[in-house]
Amino acid sequence: MRPRCAAMPLAAIAGCMSLILSLIVVGKAFAGDCGFLKRDPLDLLKDGQLFFQPPGHSDWVPVDGSSVALGNQTISFAYVVRETIEKRRAGVVIVKSGRLRTPDEPPVSRASRSVQLVRNAPPPDSDGRPFDNGKCGQIPAFGAASVSAQSYDDFHDLGARAPEREQGILNSFHYKYVGRRNGCKRTDNSDEDSRIPLDRRSNRGQFSFNSAVVAGATLSQVASYVGPGPAYANSEKLTEQRVEIQAYRTATGFPSCVRFDLKVPARAAFVRINDLEGLKEQGLDYVRADEKAWSIAP
């Protein structure tokens, strides 16, 4: 039943109008609706916000800073995507997590460590139909699998092929998705974002655990013959790595929420999120949005 704001005291009208707005938005819900956060979708939800739900609680709490203490728990998270440029678009969010290896831990080679890959079916549309991937075709099922950290790094940091079995897993993990202007692109596309202005970032590079690769370019395969580069050095410090990708769709001004659960390591844990279709203003141009990162267990 719609609340009757006109019959309320003046001080309550603003809150009532906000409730009406929320009801309107819920009525037009689509995959990734953020109504469960119980916040004004137009004023309180911003692109790139991260929320978590404390175990045993119904409320969702924003990660206001860059660090929270959630170690040794399984936590539900929600990441907010909000479009401000196009009327309506779709995209893919990458959730990378893990922890820093402590100095007292014995080193483990990249070939012996694994990276867990997770890609579940995106939530259905409000009418119950499967997520609409447009002209890019049905999103193939994947589930979960693992590859060695070496194969993961070689493919995403260097552009090199992994051994046949693991390359097959990586090929299945990545898929063709519908993005801006209804264009199709693979999540592991390695084309440079732009030549004028020069921006050497790529979809594939956004999957790297090396911040230099994410912010710059996928390293040339030639680097593997020269010696360990920053990709190797960075990866050697990590363990318990996990990568999840989720498709989403959003409309201008209205947020979409990407939800995921993580078993947070007891210490030195982090989560990093990349929106493959996210943009930011840079001078007179729009360029790929930066990676966002949080410490979730000091």
Side-chain angles (χ1 to χ4, degrees):
M1 182 172 63
R2 182 175 297 178
R4 298 175 60 188
C5 293
M8 294 183 175
L10 184 61
I13 290 179
C16 180
M17 294 304 294
S18 177
L19 175 58
I20 289 177
L21 180 58
S22 297
L23 291 173
I24 292 172
V25 172
V26 171
K28 295 183 178 180
F30 45 85
D33 175 69
C34 295
F36 64 93
L37 293 178
K38 299 178 183 177
R39 282 170 167 77
D40 186 328
L42 298 187
D43 293 330
L44 300 181
L45 297 182
K46 299 178 177 61
D47 185 59
Q49 279 185 291
L50 184 66
F51 291 80
F52 71 95
Q53 187 177 43
H57 293 263
S58 60
D59 293 335
W60 289 79
V61 181
V63 183
D64 290 325
S66 60
S67 178
V68 289
L70 302 175
N72 208 27
Q73 303 176 87
T74 297
I75 302 292
S76 295
F77 292 90
Y79 180 75
V80 179
V81 178
R82 189 166 179 176
E83 174 65 10
T84 59
I85 303 171
E86 296 186 20
K87 245 185 171 181
R88 203 168 172 84
R89 72 165 174 87
V92 174
V93 158
I94 311 166
V95 180
K96 296 177 287 189
S97 59
R99 70 173 176 86
L100 294 171
R101 190 171 54 80
T102 58
D104 59 315
E105 291 181 84
V108 179
S109 70
R110 293 183 307 121
S112 300
R113 288 186 290 109
S114 64
V115 178
Q116 184 183 24
L117 308 178
V118 178
R119 179 168 62 74
N120 297 313
D125 293 336
S126 57
D127 59 6
R129 296 182 181 180
F131 183 91
D132 183 6
N133 199 35
K135 64 182 181 181
C136 306
Q138 185 176 357
I139 299 176
F142 180 78
S146 295
V147 296
S148 71
Q150 179 168 344
S151 292
Y152 186 91
D153 289 348
D154 286 352
F155 183 70
H156 296 103
D157 292 15
L158 299 176
R161 287 188 62 82
E164 184 175 355
R165 185 189 70 83
E166 294 194 314
Q167 187 62 53
I169 293 174
L170 290 166
N171 290 344
S172 298
F173 176 60
H174 291 285
Y175 71 98
K176 186 183 290 186
Y177 70 95
V178 60
R180 291 187 178 275
R181 299 177 182 83
N182 293 318
C184 291
K185 185 187 292 186
R186 279 188 60 86
T187 54
D188 58 351
N189 183 282
S190 58
D191 294 342
E192 294 180 352
D193 283 354
S194 171
R195 299 212 171 168
I196 303 176
L198 181 62
D199 188 344
R200 300 190 64 190
R201 290 178 293 177
S202 67
N203 274 4
R204 186 180 299 191
Q206 300 307 293
F207 284 83
S208 175
F209 280 90
N210 181 342
S211 57
V213 172
V214 171
T218 301
L219 301 174
S220 167
Q221 292 187 35
V222 176
S224 65
Y225 300 111
V226 175
Y232 292 170
N234 198 5
S235 174
E236 292 294 355
K237 300 176 184 177
L238 305 180
T239 190
E240 297 185 49
Q241 292 163 266
R242 179 183 185 275
V243 181
E244 179 173 351
I245 52 179
Q246 284 198 37
Y248 68 82
R249 186 168 62 256
T250 189
T252 303
F254 295 101
S256 181
C257 279
V258 174
R259 300 176 65 168
F260 58 95
D261 295 333
L262 286 180
K263 185 176 180 181
V264 182
R267 55 183 179 175
F270 63 85
V271 60
R272 305 172 188 170
I273 297 182
N274 305 73
D275 181 355
L276 290 183
E277 295 295 305
L279 295 178
K280 68 172 185 176
E281 287 189 65
Q282 184 169 291
L284 299 176
D285 300 297
Y286 283 98
V287 299
R288 185 187 291 272
D290 297 326
E291 179 178 80
K292 294 178 174 61
W294 297 267
S295 168
I296 52 177

